[in-house]
Amino acid sequence: MDGIKETHAQQKRERTRRLPTVCIVIYAIFLLCLLIYITCLFSKNFADFINQHVSAPVRAFLAHLTNWLPISLAEFLLLMLPAILVSLIILGMKRYSDSWKDVLIFCGAILSALAIALSTFFIGFAPAYRGTSLDKKLGIERKDVSAEELYNTALILSQKINAEQPKIIYGSDGFSVMPYDIDEMNEKLLKAYDDICDEYEFVQRLESRIKPVMLSEPMSYTHITGVYTFFTGEANLNVNFPDYTLPYTAAHELAHQRGIAREDEANFLAFLVCIESYDPYIRYSAYVNLYEYVAAALSSADRELYLKATATLPQLVLAEQSAYSNFFAKYRESVVSDISETVNNTFLVMHGTEGVKSYGMVVDLAVAYYRSN
């Protein structure tokens, strides 16, 4: 009997010294996904095909998988990360520390979880960075813009703001008030997205929800207003920011969720979606947020024209912009924001964009859009 027990124990030890088959399969899938992404680097048509026929189902699956959760799974996992790491270290010390071979096998098994996340990125989101640009999909001509064109675009947006502003309620703090909660805002945005999908086939039709970030206040110090987490398929929203930024930012993250990867393009699709809405507050959010991008570019190009454009805005909108400046003052200078910007810039540059500058490049798309309309 003792011999049989010893044999079983030996067999058990041997099993722990081999990398589990499931991990080997995960690494094989990772290599396949990486190969597909590398191919996307050399062919926009192939990247478009993958984004439409492979990435879209992956994004939809992940979105539906986490959609029922009222909280952000990605945020929960991030908060639990220290406990997860400590648990893994304890497990490794107890069961996989007999030899260096055991340690390496344990590390290989743990890293397979990272391989799953990277596979999800390479097959579910990264190809969208390499496909046909949004201006070509929309049939507009994107080119360098002059100060005069920036001014004309700012005036158009100012006219739109003036038309929407009387329908907006403002609080005593100077900020406009969104007249419904995040869930209702989400429903209104999804309806607008459905209308956009009817007009543009390249926009993925998807039922999803925006996830409010529980730690929105601390997140504000990173200057991050929202984030799409590709490994959970969630569009996450920093709800600490003023109401007028929320619909536009939410539409931006929902655009990422639908395969619009580049930041300027997600910004512009968010604008198109919001102005398609039947809700005046969502339209107001789009016009004001895009105006701020255009005005910032105009201020750098021609200060006099910038002041002329600013003079056309309603006083309540100017007061809201002033209130935002006061709100953001406590978050403006922080080490965390510098680190966050560096990481984000590196990530975006690695995937063929202009880095964090690409957020502001929505101005080129706005000018091209109104030039062609």
Side-chain angles (χ1 to χ4, degrees):
M1 287 293 293
D2 290 340
I4 294 174
K5 289 181 180 179
E6 184 177 347
T7 301
H8 286 323
Q10 178 66 26
Q11 289 174 345
K12 185 175 181 181
R13 284 195 296 272
E14 288 297 327
R15 283 198 297 270
T16 62
R17 290 174 186 164
R18 293 196 298 269
L19 190 65
T21 302
V22 65
C23 294
I24 296 173
V25 172
I26 288 171
Y27 283 121
I29 292 173
F30 165 74
L31 291 175
L32 176 62
C33 293
L34 178 60
L35 179 61
I36 290 173
Y37 175 64
I38 291 173
T39 307
C40 289
L41 299 179
F42 300 97
S43 172
K44 287 186 177 182
N45 290 335
F46 183 74
D48 286 337
F49 175 85
I50 294 297
N51 190 35
Q52 181 178 356
H53 298 288
V54 181
S55 301
V58 170
R59 291 191 299 268
F61 171 76
L62 290 172
H64 288 306
L65 192 64
T66 58
N67 200 42
W68 62 276
L69 288 171
I71 64 171
S72 168
L73 177 61
E75 182 183 15
F76 176 77
L77 291 175
L78 181 63
L79 293 175
M80 291 298 296
L81 187 59
I84 293 172
L85 291 177
V86 169
S87 299
L88 289 174
I89 291 171
I90 293 173
L91 175 64
M93 292 176 65
K94 283 185 175 181
R95 296 188 57 186
Y96 297 91
S97 58
D98 293 342
S99 68
W100 280 110
K101 180 181 179 181
D102 286 346
V103 172
L104 290 175
I105 289 174
F106 178 68
C107 290
I110 298 304
L111 288 176
S112 66
L114 178 61
I116 293 174
L118 289 174
S119 298
T120 303
F121 175 70
F122 286 135
I123 200 66
F125 191 61
Y129 282 109
R130 303 297 175 174
T132 303
S133 60
L134 184 63
D135 55 319
K136 291 182 172 58
K137 292 178 179 178
L138 294 174
I140 59 178
E141 184 182 7
R142 184 174 186 171
K143 58 184 181 181
D144 292 340
V145 300
S146 65
E148 190 68 29
E149 287 179 309
L150 288 171
Y151 175 68
N152 291 336
T153 303
L155 288 183
I156 293 172
L157 292 170
S158 178
Q159 291 170 2
K160 301 290 187 181
I161 292 170
N162 274 276
E164 302 294 347
Q165 184 272 315
K167 309 165 192 172
I168 307 303
I169 300 171
Y170 294 83
S172 59
D173 57 1
F175 286 117
S176 59
V177 179
M178 187 168 68
Y180 36 75
D181 60 17
I182 296 297
D183 287 338
E184 189 172 348
M185 179 197 75
N186 189 79
E187 291 177 7
K188 292 176 182 292
L189 286 175
L190 291 185
K191 175 63 174 67
Y193 259 105
D194 283 342
D195 294 338
I196 284 292
C197 289
D198 292 338
E199 188 171 354
Y200 302 114
E201 292 184 356
F202 65 85
V203 181
Q204 182 180 356
R205 194 179 296 275
L206 182 64
E207 283 295 320
S208 59
R209 64 189 296 179
I210 198 77
K211 299 290 189 73
V213 173
M214 292 183 293
L215 298 181
S216 286
E217 165 73 15
M219 185 179 180
S220 299
Y221 286 97
T222 68
H223 299 180
I224 296 174
T225 56
V227 60
Y228 171 64
T229 48
F230 58 84
F231 55 93
T232 62
E234 295 171 303
N236 305 278
L237 180 66
N238 182 338
V239 293
N240 183 54
F241 275 75
D243 283 2
Y244 84 94
T245 68
L246 299 183
Y248 180 72
T249 303
H252 174 107
E253 301 309 329
L254 291 171
H256 284 322
Q257 195 179 47
R258 285 151 178 77
I260 308 299
R262 301 180 185 101
E263 297 300 337
D264 54 335
E265 296 180 359
N267 265 342
F268 193 66
L269 184 65
F271 172 75
L272 294 180
V273 168
C274 288
I275 65 174
E276 189 73 21
S277 174
Y278 292 103
D279 184 78
Y281 195 78
I282 290 179
R283 295 195 302 269
Y284 173 82
S285 174
Y287 288 127
V288 172
N289 278 276
L290 187 60
Y291 177 88
E292 289 176 348
Y293 277 112
V294 174
L298 180 58
S299 177
S300 298
D302 192 313
R303 186 68 180 176
E304 184 177 344
L305 288 178
Y306 164 76
L307 294 175
K308 285 179 64 177
T310 301
T312 66
L313 288 175
Q315 285 301 314
L316 286 171
V317 174
L318 292 174
E320 182 158 49
Q321 291 178 335
S322 177
Y324 179 85
S325 181
N326 294 332
F327 157 82
F328 195 65
K330 66 180 288 189
Y331 307 110
R332 185 167 285 112
E333 301 295 334
S334 73
V335 175
V336 177
S337 68
D338 293 337
I339 296 173
S340 171
E341 181 173 336
T342 300
V343 171
N344 192 29
N345 185 71
T346 302
F347 173 83
L348 294 174
V349 169
M350 284 174 59
H351 295 287
T353 78
E354 297 294 326
V356 294
K357 292 189 297 183
S358 62
Y359 289 91
M361 289 168 62
V362 66
V363 171
D364 298 343
L365 289 168
V367 171
Y369 176 77
Y370 282 114
R371 187 195 297 126
S372 62
N373 284 280

PDB file of all heavy atoms in Angstrom, residues 160-186:
ATOM      1  N   LYS A 160     -24.932  76.520 -33.484  1.00  0.00           N
ATOM      2  CA  LYS A 160     -25.615  75.323 -32.989  1.00  0.00           C
ATOM      3  C   LYS A 160     -25.804  75.400 -31.468  1.00  0.00           C
ATOM      4  O   LYS A 160     -26.866  75.028 -30.936  1.00  0.00           O
ATOM      5  CB  LYS A 160     -24.818  74.065 -33.341  1.00  0.00           C
ATOM      6  CG  LYS A 160     -24.580  73.850 -34.831  1.00  0.00           C
ATOM      7  CD  LYS A 160     -25.851  73.497 -35.560  1.00  0.00           C
ATOM      8  CE  LYS A 160     -25.577  73.118 -37.000  1.00  0.00           C
ATOM      9  NZ  LYS A 160     -26.813  72.780 -37.744  1.00  0.00           N
ATOM     10  N   ILE A 161     -24.776  75.872 -30.773  1.00  0.00           N
ATOM     11  CA  ILE A 161     -24.851  76.016 -29.317  1.00  0.00           C
ATOM     12  C   ILE A 161     -25.937  77.026 -28.937  1.00  0.00           C
ATOM     13  O   ILE A 161     -26.728  76.792 -28.013  1.00  0.00           O
ATOM     14  CB  ILE A 161     -23.486  76.445 -28.741  1.00  0.00           C
ATOM     15  CG1 ILE A 161     -22.468  75.312 -28.905  1.00  0.00           C
ATOM     16  CG2 ILE A 161     -23.615  76.823 -27.265  1.00  0.00           C
ATOM     17  CD1 ILE A 161     -21.038  75.714 -28.596  1.00  0.00           C
ATOM     18  N   ASN A 162     -25.979  78.136 -29.652  1.00  0.00           N
ATOM     19  CA  ASN A 162     -26.993  79.160 -29.389  1.00  0.00           C
ATOM     20  C   ASN A 162     -28.409  78.606 -29.581  1.00  0.00           C
ATOM     21  O   ASN A 162     -29.338  78.995 -28.866  1.00  0.00           O
ATOM     22  CB  ASN A 162     -26.775  80.367 -30.296  1.00  0.00           C
ATOM     23  CG  ASN A 162     -25.776  81.364 -29.721  1.00  0.00           C
ATOM     24  OD1 ASN A 162     -26.136  82.211 -28.918  1.00  0.00           O
ATOM     25  ND2 ASN A 162     -24.519  81.246 -30.127  1.00  0.00           N
ATOM     26  N   ALA A 163     -28.551  77.680 -30.534  1.00  0.00           N
ATOM     27  CA  ALA A 163     -29.871  77.093 -30.790  1.00  0.00           C
ATOM     28  C   ALA A 163     -30.279  76.129 -29.677  1.00  0.00           C
ATOM     29  O   ALA A 163     -31.467  76.027 -29.335  1.00  0.00           O
ATOM     30  CB  ALA A 163     -29.868  76.377 -32.137  1.00  0.00           C
ATOM     31  N   GLU A 164     -29.311  75.420 -29.085  1.00  0.00           N
ATOM     32  CA  GLU A 164     -29.613  74.432 -28.054  1.00  0.00           C
ATOM     33  C   GLU A 164     -29.659  75.028 -26.654  1.00  0.00           C
ATOM     34  O   GLU A 164     -30.409  74.546 -25.787  1.00  0.00           O
ATOM     35  CB  GLU A 164     -28.564  73.303 -28.081  1.00  0.00           C
ATOM     36  CG  GLU A 164     -28.439  72.556 -29.396  1.00  0.00           C
ATOM     37  CD  GLU A 164     -29.687  71.748 -29.750  1.00  0.00           C
ATOM     38  OE1 GLU A 164     -30.564  71.568 -28.867  1.00  0.00           O
ATOM     39  OE2 GLU A 164     -29.786  71.301 -30.904  1.00  0.00           O
ATOM     40  N   GLN A 165     -28.902  76.072 -26.412  1.00  0.00           N
ATOM     41  CA  GLN A 165     -28.722  76.601 -25.052  1.00  0.00           C
ATOM     42  C   GLN A 165     -30.024  76.981 -24.329  1.00  0.00           C
ATOM     43  O   GLN A 165     -30.155  76.703 -23.130  1.00  0.00           O
ATOM     44  CB  GLN A 165     -27.754  77.781 -25.104  1.00  0.00           C
ATOM     45  CG  GLN A 165     -27.396  78.373 -23.753  1.00  0.00           C
ATOM     46  CD  GLN A 165     -28.384  79.449 -23.331  1.00  0.00           C
ATOM     47  OE1 GLN A 165     -28.745  80.301 -24.141  1.00  0.00           O
ATOM     48  NE2 GLN A 165     -28.813  79.400 -22.078  1.00  0.00           N
ATOM     49  N   PRO A 166     -31.016  77.580 -24.995  1.00  0.00           N
ATOM     50  CA  PRO A 166     -32.259  77.925 -24.275  1.00  0.00           C
ATOM     51  C   PRO A 166     -33.008  76.716 -23.711  1.00  0.00           C
ATOM     52  O   PRO A 166     -33.854  76.871 -22.814  1.00  0.00           O
ATOM     53  CB  PRO A 166     -33.099  78.631 -25.354  1.00  0.00           C
ATOM     54  CG  PRO A 166     -32.101  79.160 -26.323  1.00  0.00           C
ATOM     55  CD  PRO A 166     -31.030  78.128 -26.364  1.00  0.00           C
ATOM     56  N   LYS A 167     -32.704  75.506 -24.201  1.00  0.00           N
ATOM     57  CA  LYS A 167     -33.378  74.300 -23.728  1.00  0.00           C
ATOM     58  C   LYS A 167     -32.663  73.676 -22.520  1.00  0.00           C
ATOM     59  O   LYS A 167     -33.114  72.663 -21.987  1.00  0.00           O
ATOM     60  CB  LYS A 167     -33.436  73.258 -24.852  1.00  0.00           C
ATOM     61  CG  LYS A 167     -33.986  73.790 -26.176  1.00  0.00           C
ATOM     62  CD  LYS A 167     -33.677  72.832 -27.312  1.00  0.00           C
ATOM     63  CE  LYS A 167     -33.938  73.470 -28.663  1.00  0.00           C
ATOM     64  NZ  LYS A 167     -33.471  72.647 -29.790  1.00  0.00           N
ATOM     65  N   ILE A 168     -31.563  74.298 -22.096  1.00  0.00           N
ATOM     66  CA  ILE A 168     -30.704  73.719 -21.075  1.00  0.00           C
ATOM     67  C   ILE A 168     -30.932  74.398 -19.724  1.00  0.00           C
ATOM     68  O   ILE A 168     -31.112  75.613 -19.655  1.00  0.00           O
ATOM     69  CB  ILE A 168     -29.221  73.839 -21.479  1.00  0.00           C
ATOM     70  CG1 ILE A 168     -28.993  73.254 -22.884  1.00  0.00           C
ATOM     71  CG2 ILE A 168     -28.326  73.148 -20.467  1.00  0.00           C
ATOM     72  CD1 ILE A 168     -29.411  71.805 -23.034  1.00  0.00           C
ATOM     73  N   ILE A 169     -30.904  73.602 -18.665  1.00  0.00           N
ATOM     74  CA  ILE A 169     -31.036  74.111 -17.300  1.00  0.00           C
ATOM     75  C   ILE A 169     -29.641  74.242 -16.693  1.00  0.00           C
ATOM     76  O   ILE A 169     -28.788  73.365 -16.859  1.00  0.00           O
ATOM     77  CB  ILE A 169     -31.892  73.152 -16.444  1.00  0.00           C
ATOM     78  CG1 ILE A 169     -33.286  72.997 -17.050  1.00  0.00           C
ATOM     79  CG2 ILE A 169     -31.978  73.642 -15.002  1.00  0.00           C
ATOM     80  CD1 ILE A 169     -34.098  71.901 -16.395  1.00  0.00           C
ATOM     81  N   TYR A 170     -29.427  75.340 -15.951  1.00  0.00           N
ATOM     82  CA  TYR A 170     -28.128  75.577 -15.320  1.00  0.00           C
ATOM     83  C   TYR A 170     -28.299  75.665 -13.810  1.00  0.00           C
ATOM     84  O   TYR A 170     -29.308  76.179 -13.304  1.00  0.00           O
ATOM     85  CB  TYR A 170     -27.490  76.868 -15.851  1.00  0.00           C
ATOM     86  CG  TYR A 170     -27.123  76.794 -17.313  1.00  0.00           C
ATOM     87  CD1 TYR A 170     -28.076  77.043 -18.291  1.00  0.00           C
ATOM     88  CD2 TYR A 170     -25.837  76.455 -17.713  1.00  0.00           C
ATOM     89  CE1 TYR A 170     -27.755  76.951 -19.645  1.00  0.00           C
ATOM     90  CE2 TYR A 170     -25.508  76.367 -19.059  1.00  0.00           C
ATOM     91  CZ  TYR A 170     -26.472  76.615 -20.023  1.00  0.00           C
ATOM     92  OH  TYR A 170     -26.156  76.519 -21.356  1.00  0.00           O
ATOM     93  N   GLY A 171     -27.299  75.187 -13.087  1.00  0.00           N
ATOM     94  CA  GLY A 171     -27.311  75.250 -11.631  1.00  0.00           C
ATOM     95  C   GLY A 171     -26.643  76.510 -11.129  1.00  0.00           C
ATOM     96  O   GLY A 171     -26.051  77.284 -11.891  1.00  0.00           O
ATOM     97  N   SER A 172     -26.700  76.697  -9.820  1.00  0.00           N
ATOM     98  CA  SER A 172     -26.100  77.891  -9.214  1.00  0.00           C
ATOM     99  C   SER A 172     -24.581  77.889  -9.292  1.00  0.00           C
ATOM    100  O   SER A 172     -23.942  78.930  -9.142  1.00  0.00           O
ATOM    101  CB  SER A 172     -26.537  77.988  -7.749  1.00  0.00           C
ATOM    102  OG  SER A 172     -26.139  76.817  -7.032  1.00  0.00           O
ATOM    103  N   ASP A 173     -23.994  76.719  -9.534  1.00  0.00           N
ATOM    104  CA  ASP A 173     -22.531  76.623  -9.646  1.00  0.00           C
ATOM    105  C   ASP A 173     -22.028  76.991 -11.038  1.00  0.00           C
ATOM    106  O   ASP A 173     -20.819  76.957 -11.295  1.00  0.00           O
ATOM    107  CB  ASP A 173     -22.055  75.219  -9.287  1.00  0.00           C
ATOM    108  CG  ASP A 173     -22.704  74.130 -10.139  1.00  0.00           C
ATOM    109  OD1 ASP A 173     -23.518  74.466 -11.028  1.00  0.00           O
ATOM    110  OD2 ASP A 173     -22.397  72.946  -9.911  1.00  0.00           O
ATOM    111  N   GLY A 174     -22.944  77.321 -11.949  1.00  0.00           N
ATOM    112  CA  GLY A 174     -22.552  77.710 -13.300  1.00  0.00           C
ATOM    113  C   GLY A 174     -22.597  76.578 -14.300  1.00  0.00           C
ATOM    114  O   GLY A 174     -22.521  76.824 -15.509  1.00  0.00           O
ATOM    115  N   PHE A 175     -22.726  75.344 -13.835  1.00  0.00           N
ATOM    116  CA  PHE A 175     -22.751  74.196 -14.736  1.00  0.00           C
ATOM    117  C   PHE A 175     -24.172  73.886 -15.194  1.00  0.00           C
ATOM    118  O   PHE A 175     -25.134  74.048 -14.438  1.00  0.00           O
ATOM    119  CB  PHE A 175     -22.177  72.956 -14.050  1.00  0.00           C
ATOM    120  CG  PHE A 175     -20.678  72.978 -13.897  1.00  0.00           C
ATOM    121  CD1 PHE A 175     -20.103  72.985 -12.642  1.00  0.00           C
ATOM    122  CD2 PHE A 175     -19.865  72.989 -15.018  1.00  0.00           C
ATOM    123  CE1 PHE A 175     -18.719  73.007 -12.500  1.00  0.00           C
ATOM    124  CE2 PHE A 175     -18.477  73.017 -14.889  1.00  0.00           C
ATOM    125  CZ  PHE A 175     -17.910  73.023 -13.633  1.00  0.00           C
ATOM    126  N   SER A 176     -24.278  73.399 -16.417  1.00  0.00           N
ATOM    127  CA  SER A 176     -25.558  72.895 -16.901  1.00  0.00           C
ATOM    128  C   SER A 176     -25.864  71.584 -16.192  1.00  0.00           C
ATOM    129  O   SER A 176     -24.969  70.895 -15.690  1.00  0.00           O
ATOM    130  CB  SER A 176     -25.516  72.694 -18.414  1.00  0.00           C
ATOM    131  OG  SER A 176     -24.491  71.779 -18.768  1.00  0.00           O
ATOM    132  N   VAL A 177     -27.141  71.230 -16.156  1.00  0.00           N
ATOM    133  CA  VAL A 177     -27.581  70.046 -15.418  1.00  0.00           C
ATOM    134  C   VAL A 177     -28.170  69.028 -16.387  1.00  0.00           C
ATOM    135  O   VAL A 177     -29.112  69.335 -17.127  1.00  0.00           O
ATOM    136  CB  VAL A 177     -28.638  70.423 -14.359  1.00  0.00           C
ATOM    137  CG1 VAL A 177     -29.102  69.174 -13.610  1.00  0.00           C
ATOM    138  CG2 VAL A 177     -28.081  71.460 -13.388  1.00  0.00           C
ATOM    139  N   MET A 178     -27.613  67.820 -16.394  1.00  0.00           N
ATOM    140  CA  MET A 178     -28.173  66.745 -17.201  1.00  0.00           C
ATOM    141  C   MET A 178     -29.473  66.286 -16.543  1.00  0.00           C
ATOM    142  O   MET A 178     -29.449  65.864 -15.378  1.00  0.00           O
ATOM    143  CB  MET A 178     -27.178  65.589 -17.317  1.00  0.00           C
ATOM    144  CG  MET A 178     -27.604  64.491 -18.279  1.00  0.00           C
ATOM    145  SD  MET A 178     -26.271  63.318 -18.670  1.00  0.00           S
ATOM    146  CE  MET A 178     -26.045  62.502 -17.073  1.00  0.00           C
ATOM    147  N   PRO A 179     -30.600  66.354 -17.237  1.00  0.00           N
ATOM    148  CA  PRO A 179     -31.898  66.127 -16.594  1.00  0.00           C
ATOM    149  C   PRO A 179     -32.299  64.660 -16.451  1.00  0.00           C
ATOM    150  O   PRO A 179     -33.490  64.343 -16.423  1.00  0.00           O
ATOM    151  CB  PRO A 179     -32.864  66.866 -17.526  1.00  0.00           C
ATOM    152  CG  PRO A 179     -32.228  66.763 -18.868  1.00  0.00           C
ATOM    153  CD  PRO A 179     -30.738  66.813 -18.627  1.00  0.00           C
ATOM    154  N   TYR A 180     -31.345  63.755 -16.384  1.00  0.00           N
ATOM    155  CA  TYR A 180     -31.625  62.335 -16.206  1.00  0.00           C
ATOM    156  C   TYR A 180     -30.359  61.661 -15.702  1.00  0.00           C
ATOM    157  O   TYR A 180     -29.289  62.287 -15.643  1.00  0.00           O
ATOM    158  CB  TYR A 180     -32.096  61.689 -17.515  1.00  0.00           C
ATOM    159  CG  TYR A 180     -31.429  62.234 -18.754  1.00  0.00           C
ATOM    160  CD1 TYR A 180     -30.114  61.902 -19.081  1.00  0.00           C
ATOM    161  CD2 TYR A 180     -32.103  63.118 -19.590  1.00  0.00           C
ATOM    162  CE1 TYR A 180     -29.502  62.418 -20.195  1.00  0.00           C
ATOM    163  CE2 TYR A 180     -31.496  63.638 -20.717  1.00  0.00           C
ATOM    164  CZ  TYR A 180     -30.201  63.286 -21.023  1.00  0.00           C
ATOM    165  OH  TYR A 180     -29.581  63.808 -22.126  1.00  0.00           O
ATOM    166  N   ASP A 181     -30.474  60.388 -15.334  1.00  0.00           N
ATOM    167  CA  ASP A 181     -29.316  59.683 -14.781  1.00  0.00           C
ATOM    168  C   ASP A 181     -28.493  59.019 -15.882  1.00  0.00           C
ATOM    169  O   ASP A 181     -28.830  59.101 -17.073  1.00  0.00           O
ATOM    170  CB  ASP A 181     -29.756  58.664 -13.727  1.00  0.00           C
ATOM    171  CG  ASP A 181     -30.697  57.592 -14.285  1.00  0.00           C
ATOM    172  OD1 ASP A 181     -30.762  57.419 -15.523  1.00  0.00           O
ATOM    173  OD2 ASP A 181     -31.372  56.918 -13.478  1.00  0.00           O
ATOM    174  N   ILE A 182     -27.428  58.335 -15.477  1.00  0.00           N
ATOM    175  CA  ILE A 182     -26.501  57.711 -16.425  1.00  0.00           C
ATOM    176  C   ILE A 182     -27.190  56.620 -17.236  1.00  0.00           C
ATOM    177  O   ILE A 182     -26.947  56.477 -18.446  1.00  0.00           O
ATOM    178  CB  ILE A 182     -25.278  57.123 -15.684  1.00  0.00           C
ATOM    179  CG1 ILE A 182     -24.471  58.223 -15.012  1.00  0.00           C
ATOM    180  CG2 ILE A 182     -24.392  56.343 -16.654  1.00  0.00           C
ATOM    181  CD1 ILE A 182     -23.863  59.237 -15.970  1.00  0.00           C
ATOM    182  N   ASP A 183     -28.067  55.843 -16.606  1.00  0.00           N
ATOM    183  CA  ASP A 183     -28.746  54.764 -17.330  1.00  0.00           C
ATOM    184  C   ASP A 183     -29.620  55.313 -18.457  1.00  0.00           C
ATOM    185  O   ASP A 183     -29.639  54.759 -19.568  1.00  0.00           O
ATOM    186  CB  ASP A 183     -29.602  53.936 -16.370  1.00  0.00           C
ATOM    187  CG  ASP A 183     -28.770  53.056 -15.457  1.00  0.00           C
ATOM    188  OD1 ASP A 183     -27.617  52.760 -15.824  1.00  0.00           O
ATOM    189  OD2 ASP A 183     -29.260  52.666 -14.376  1.00  0.00           O
ATOM    190  N   GLU A 184     -30.354  56.392 -18.176  1.00  0.00           N
ATOM    191  CA  GLU A 184     -31.201  56.983 -19.222  1.00  0.00           C
ATOM    192  C   GLU A 184     -30.347  57.627 -20.309  1.00  0.00           C
ATOM    193  O   GLU A 184     -30.681  57.542 -21.491  1.00  0.00           O
ATOM    194  CB  GLU A 184     -32.156  58.012 -18.614  1.00  0.00           C
ATOM    195  CG  GLU A 184     -33.200  58.506 -19.607  1.00  0.00           C
ATOM    196  CD  GLU A 184     -34.261  59.372 -18.969  1.00  0.00           C
ATOM    197  OE1 GLU A 184     -34.338  59.413 -17.715  1.00  0.00           O
ATOM    198  OE2 GLU A 184     -35.021  60.026 -19.718  1.00  0.00           O
ATOM    199  N   MET A 185     -29.243  58.248 -19.894  1.00  0.00           N
ATOM    200  CA  MET A 185     -28.313  58.797 -20.880  1.00  0.00           C
ATOM    201  C   MET A 185     -27.808  57.698 -21.801  1.00  0.00           C
ATOM    202  O   MET A 185     -27.709  57.871 -23.023  1.00  0.00           O
ATOM    203  CB  MET A 185     -27.121  59.466 -20.177  1.00  0.00           C
ATOM    204  CG  MET A 185     -26.083  60.049 -21.121  1.00  0.00           C
ATOM    205  SD  MET A 185     -24.495  60.389 -20.317  1.00  0.00           S
ATOM    206  CE  MET A 185     -23.823  58.729 -20.151  1.00  0.00           C
ATOM    207  N   ASN A 186     -27.500  56.537 -21.217  1.00  0.00           N
ATOM    208  CA  ASN A 186     -27.014  55.402 -21.998  1.00  0.00           C
ATOM    209  C   ASN A 186     -28.053  54.965 -23.027  1.00  0.00           C
ATOM    210  O   ASN A 186     -27.721  54.706 -24.190  1.00  0.00           O
ATOM    211  CB  ASN A 186     -26.687  54.243 -21.060  1.00  0.00           C
ATOM    212  CG  ASN A 186     -25.987  53.097 -21.742  1.00  0.00           C
ATOM    213  OD1 ASN A 186     -24.787  53.134 -21.986  1.00  0.00           O
ATOM    214  ND2 ASN A 186     -26.736  52.058 -22.086  1.00  0.00           N
TER     215      ASN A 186
END
